[in-house]
Amino acid sequence: MKIESYKQGTPCWTDLSTTDQDGAKAFYSELFGWDYQDIPMGEGQVYSIAKLDGSDAGAIFTQVPQEVEAGVPSHWKVYIAVDDIEATASKVSDLGGTVIADEFDEDESGHMMMAQDPTGAMIQFWQAKENIGCEVRDEHGALTWVELLTSDQEGAGKFYTELLGVDLDKETMPTPEGEPYHMLMVDGVPVAGVMPSPEHLVEMGVPPHWEVYFRVDDANAVVEKAKSMGAAVHFGPEVLPMVGTFAVMQDPQGAVFGIQQAPSV
């Protein structure tokens, strides 16, 4: 599905901060059919925009040394669309969050700001100018869903609903572990999930974080292909009613991502 704009509160972009940019590009190209447009960022850095049939689907870049030194693993980042980046930034601290990087221009593309929510999860906000973010969604290899794994589901839900002016639906199906699953809603449409971090992640010391899911045509085939290229499977493939078939994996560079095959009609 081609996208022309995003309403405030809707996840609009994702990019991968990785320790091996060339390796990650090869992995996801083989898995999802991505091509790349390499954009020089200065100081030897390159921002590789992933393309599906010419449309922007995400990006991959080399992790900054500070994150590597701090032991932060390769990871996918989530960006949420906002209408006014300055107004959003001004409310973050009042709601218990922390602004990590003040708003700044990305050339003529848009305005970006990075924050940490009250539960500790990092999140990026994007006010579009010429670049809306993902130009394609819900097709094979394109972003289809994001969810927050958090230590404080109620607190996180309150933060994002008040910051973005969106709603929270708590009347959804439970997670496979039986925990409640909440969804952020924009004009009655679910745009993101908010769930308690699974116990095994808590025991491993994994902090609250956002995860991304990409749509695939055949989840079982994608999982097998990913495994053959060195990925590790953390969960699935599992079939859930109304959700479809999904799996969570870790790419060869260490970044966790999910895939989802739409349920049969």
Side-chain angles (χ1 to χ4, degrees), residues 126-148:
W126 181 254
Q127 180 186 344
K129 289 196 287 187
E130 294 181 358
N131 190 337
I132 63 166
C134 293
E135 298 171 335
V136 58
R137 295 283 299 264
D138 304 328
E139 296 181 8
H140 181 83
L143 185 68
T144 193
W145 188 247
V146 303
E147 64 189 15
L148 173 64

Side-chain angles (χ1 to χ4, degrees), residues 24-85:
K25 287 171 66 176
F27 174 80
Y28 288 100
S29 177
E30 180 69 19
L31 199 65
F32 294 146
W34 287 352
D35 297 315
Y36 299 97
Q37 177 186 5
D38 289 337
I39 309 294
M41 296 194 298
E43 300 182 359
Q45 276 271 37
V46 174
Y47 196 67
S48 299
I49 299 177
K51 299 278 190 175
L52 281 174
D53 295 326
S55 297
D56 293 355
I60 299 175
F61 65 96
T62 297
Q63 193 172 29
V64 297
Q66 298 93 314
E67 285 191 347
V68 177
E69 292 167 4
V72 178
S74 299
H75 61 283
W76 283 95
K77 299 173 181 284
V78 171
Y79 294 69
I80 295 178
V82 295
D83 297 331
D84 187 331
I85 201 82

Side-chain angles (χ1 to χ4, degrees), residues 57-202:
I60 299 175
F61 65 96
T62 297
Q63 193 172 29
V64 297
Q66 298 93 314
E67 285 191 347
V68 177
E69 292 167 4
V72 178
S74 299
H75 61 283
W76 283 95
K77 299 173 181 284
V78 171
Y79 294 69
I80 295 178
V82 295
D83 297 331
D84 187 331
I85 201 82
E86 292 185 2
T88 301
S90 69
K91 294 190 287 187
V92 168
S93 60
D94 290 341
L95 295 173
T98 305
V99 174
I100 302 300
D102 288 326
E103 63 272 14
F104 58 92
D105 285 346
E106 287 281 3
D107 301 318
E108 295 303 314
S109 297
H111 306 278
M112 174 185 162
M113 183 263 291
M114 181 187 301
Q116 188 173 37
D117 73 25
T119 76
M122 303 298 296
I123 185 66
Q124 287 68 225
F125 297 99
W126 181 254
Q127 180 186 344
K129 289 196 287 187
E130 294 181 358
N131 190 337
I132 63 166
C134 293
E135 298 171 335
V136 58
R137 295 283 299 264
D138 304 328
E139 296 181 8
H140 181 83
L143 185 68
T144 193
W145 188 247
V146 303
E147 64 189 15
L148 173 64
L149 280 61
T150 178
S151 57
D152 182 0
Q153 189 179 30
E154 295 296 329
K158 184 174 186 294
F159 173 78
Y160 289 101
T161 55
E162 294 188 7
L163 180 68
L164 300 168
V166 299
D167 297 319
L168 187 68
D169 182 4
K170 299 182 180 181
E171 301 300 322
T172 65
M173 68 184 72
T175 68
E177 291 81 16
E179 299 286 349
Y181 192 87
H182 298 171
M183 293 192 297
L184 298 177
M185 310 286 289
V186 174
D187 293 343
V189 177
V191 298
V194 180
M195 63 175 284
S197 292
E199 189 60 35
H200 71 279
L201 293 184
V202 175

Side-chain angles (χ1 to χ4, degrees), residues 203-215:
E203 293 174 354
M204 292 168 57
V206 177
H209 63 282
W210 284 87
E211 290 188 351
V212 300
Y213 286 79
F214 297 96
R215 178 66 61 86

